[in-house]
Amino acid sequence: MKTITSFKIAGLITACLFAAMPTKADIGAISFKTSAAGMNALETTIGSNQMTLETWLYIGNSTGFFASNMHNDKGFALGFDGWFKFQLDGASIWIDPTSWKENWTHIACVADGSQMIVYVNGEVAGTQENTTGYNTEADGNPLFLGTAPWGNPCNCKMADFRLWSVARTAEEIKNNYQKQIEPSTTGLIKNFNFAEGNGDHTANLAEPEGNQAWCMGAIDTDYSWETVAQIPTNLRTENQTENSFDILWDGTDGNTWSVELSANGQVVDTKTRLTEKKASFSNLDKKDYTVRVKAHSFMETAFSDAFSVNLSTSSAITNIHKNISIVRHNNAIQIDGIQTGKLISIYTDQGILSRQISAEHETIVLSIEGFPHGIYFISIEGYGPTFKIAL
């Protein structure tokens, strides 16, 4: 009778949870802290003598293996024995990793059927002739991360692990190693971005319904999760005037950010490598804008969802009546020239009453703190038309 392992059972139970996982995701990392740590990514099939394995790695020393499916001396093994080693069956490339220590470093190892190539941070670091390539006799064996099938763990941090059944070109590696990859990219068979932040497994973004990677050891003791870069959230404006505004957002401390300002589908301004979660735009035309923000660490996130900012002529109304003026000041609307006792009402564009007061003075300041962004209408008792304003 065929036995189903506990890893497989858990994978079957959880597969449906990842089937709808969005391609936009935060960038996470896993830290393998003790000799008991590691991940079992279960049976892995490459199916070709060509392969590419790439990942971001943070090491403090240079011992142990961090990725391998090797069994009976067949397959691949990546790790350290003083120097970094990329091994296919009995063939190996050795690279001095001294500059990698205490730095996040991207490593890509390629077998194209003619040679083995190691790239470090997008640049070729070593090559060796090898006409055999990846040995498909190793297919079907489990893939281990943070350790090897026989042990010899590597205490390190890992981010954005990718395994391919194709030999990625130098251009493809260089152009994409600092970006998140589209999970449907041809040849991608494993992509772990470790963005879960908790629990005992990480999803394979390239095949959400397939095998996940399962942690060994105890969380926080043997391994832990980290957030490298979060897609910016909670975009909001401050100090908005007729032709300027500040945009703020929430994100991961220590990141930098890029901001893109668009109007009518065209990018009109960008801010890059900002160190604060804030950008200022001024001298703008009175029109509708959208803002998107992305975060940068050693990798960059996708852009946030677009946030709308309205600087059209309705965003500040003056001299709307011979006796009345309405002006917006940051988080308040000031109405001058109103008769005391008159009722002032603010409605949403769907006709829902948001605020209503009776004027006690000729000048009224209405707080709009906490009002959602959108179009509103101001009705003043006894003054004919309803006045439109964008917040």
Side-chain angles (χ1 to χ4, degrees):
M1 181 175 65
K2 186 175 180 179
T3 300
I4 300 178
T5 67
S6 59
F7 283 129
K8 289 182 179 177
I9 292 172
L12 291 171
I13 293 172
T14 59
C16 62
L17 297 177
F18 300 101
M21 179 170 286
T23 56
K24 269 191 178 184
D26 298 336
I27 300 169
I30 189 166
S31 177
F32 302 113
K33 302 164 71 172
T34 72
S35 60
M39 301 190 89
N40 185 340
L42 304 182
E43 293 85 351
T44 299
T45 297
I46 294 177
S48 165
N49 74 330
Q50 295 190 348
M51 65 162 285
T52 303
L53 188 155
E54 51 183 323
T55 191
W56 282 91
L57 208 65
Y58 185 99
I59 61 171
N61 55 44
S62 51
T63 59
F65 288 87
F66 62 85
S68 178
N69 74 338
M70 188 167 282
H71 184 72
N72 292 332
D73 295 326
K74 295 180 174 64
F76 61 80
L78 283 69
F80 301 93
D81 186 5
W83 281 37
F84 166 73
K85 177 171 72 170
F86 168 34
Q87 180 177 350
L88 288 177
D89 292 1
S92 299
I93 295 181
W94 295 86
I95 305 290
D96 183 357
T98 300
S99 64
W100 308 0
K101 294 180 181 180
E102 309 295 339
N103 292 302
W104 278 104
T105 304
H106 185 265
I107 303 161
C109 298
V110 178
D112 63 9
S114 63
Q115 61 180 343
M116 300 164 62
I117 313 167
V118 175
Y119 298 84
V120 177
N121 294 332
E123 303 293 338
V124 175
T127 63
Q128 178 172 302
E129 182 180 352
N130 183 292
T131 58
T132 303
Y134 171 73
N135 188 341
T136 56
E137 292 183 37
D139 280 351
N141 290 319
L143 166 64
F144 286 85
L145 304 179
T147 188
W150 57 89
N152 198 1
C154 178
N155 294 150
C156 62
K157 297 179 183 181
M158 182 180 290
D160 198 62
F161 177 91
R162 306 172 189 176
L163 180 63
W164 306 79
S165 61
V166 295
R168 297 280 281 177
T169 66
E171 183 179 17
E172 287 172 330
I173 291 171
K174 184 163 187 166
N175 290 345
N176 292 283
Y177 80 98
Q178 291 181 297
K179 304 174 183 177
Q180 293 175 299
I181 201 77
E182 173 58 46
S184 61
T185 304
T186 301
L188 184 64
I189 58 177
K190 300 277 188 184
N191 182 202
F192 304 120
N193 73 348
F194 310 109
E196 285 77 6
N198 202 355
D200 60 359
H201 61 277
T202 189
N204 177 13
L205 302 183
E207 190 183 3
E209 70 279 8
N211 289 336
Q212 314 304 314
W214 297 89
C215 298
M216 298 180 286
I219 190 169
D220 296 329
T221 301
D222 300 308
Y223 69 92
S224 60
W225 304 94
E226 299 181 7
T227 299
V228 173
Q230 175 191 17
I231 295 175
T233 59
N234 191 27
L235 273 64
R236 57 201 183 273
T237 58
E238 278 189 354
N239 304 320
Q240 183 172 334
T241 70
E242 292 183 347
N243 59 8
S244 66
F245 66 89
D246 297 336
I247 187 81
L248 293 82
W249 59 88
D250 295 339
T252 306
D253 291 340
N255 288 171
T256 59
W257 293 272
S258 295
V259 183
E260 178 186 271
L261 179 69
S262 299
N264 300 321
Q266 301 294 319
V267 176
V268 297
D269 198 358
T270 58
K271 311 286 186 182
T272 59
R273 299 297 178 179
L274 301 174
T275 57
E276 297 183 3
K277 302 168 196 172
K278 177 180 179 180
S280 299
F281 295 95
S282 59
N283 300 318
L284 300 171
D285 294 332
K286 294 179 180 179
K287 58 176 68 176
D288 295 340
Y289 294 90
T290 58
V291 184
R292 301 193 304 166
V293 186
K294 65 180 175 181
H296 302 266
S297 180
F298 51 84
M299 289 181 67
E300 65 182 37
T301 68
F303 273 110
S304 66
D305 292 334
F307 179 81
S308 298
V309 181
N310 187 304
L311 296 185
S312 65
T313 54
S314 62
S315 63
I317 306 175
T318 59
N319 299 322
I320 61 173
H321 186 278
K322 64 181 180 179
N323 296 321
I324 294 178
S325 68
I326 301 178
V327 179
R328 176 179 173 177
H329 297 288
N330 294 332
N331 293 319
I333 297 172
Q334 181 175 320
I335 305 175
D336 294 303
I338 191 170
Q339 294 181 16
T340 58
K342 293 295 184 180
L343 197 63
I344 304 169
S345 305
I346 302 179
Y347 296 89
T348 69
D349 59 357
Q350 296 178 333
I352 299 173
L353 181 65
S354 296
R355 184 86 185 274
Q356 190 174 67
I357 67 168
S358 178
E360 297 180 355
H361 307 280
E362 290 188 357
T363 297
I364 299 296
V365 178
L366 295 174
S367 173
I368 54 174
E369 185 77 37
F371 274 43
H373 292 281
I375 302 297
Y376 292 83
F377 296 90
I378 301 174
S379 174
I380 303 174
E381 181 185 3
Y383 287 91
T386 298
F387 306 106
K388 179 181 176 183
I389 189 166
L391 304 181

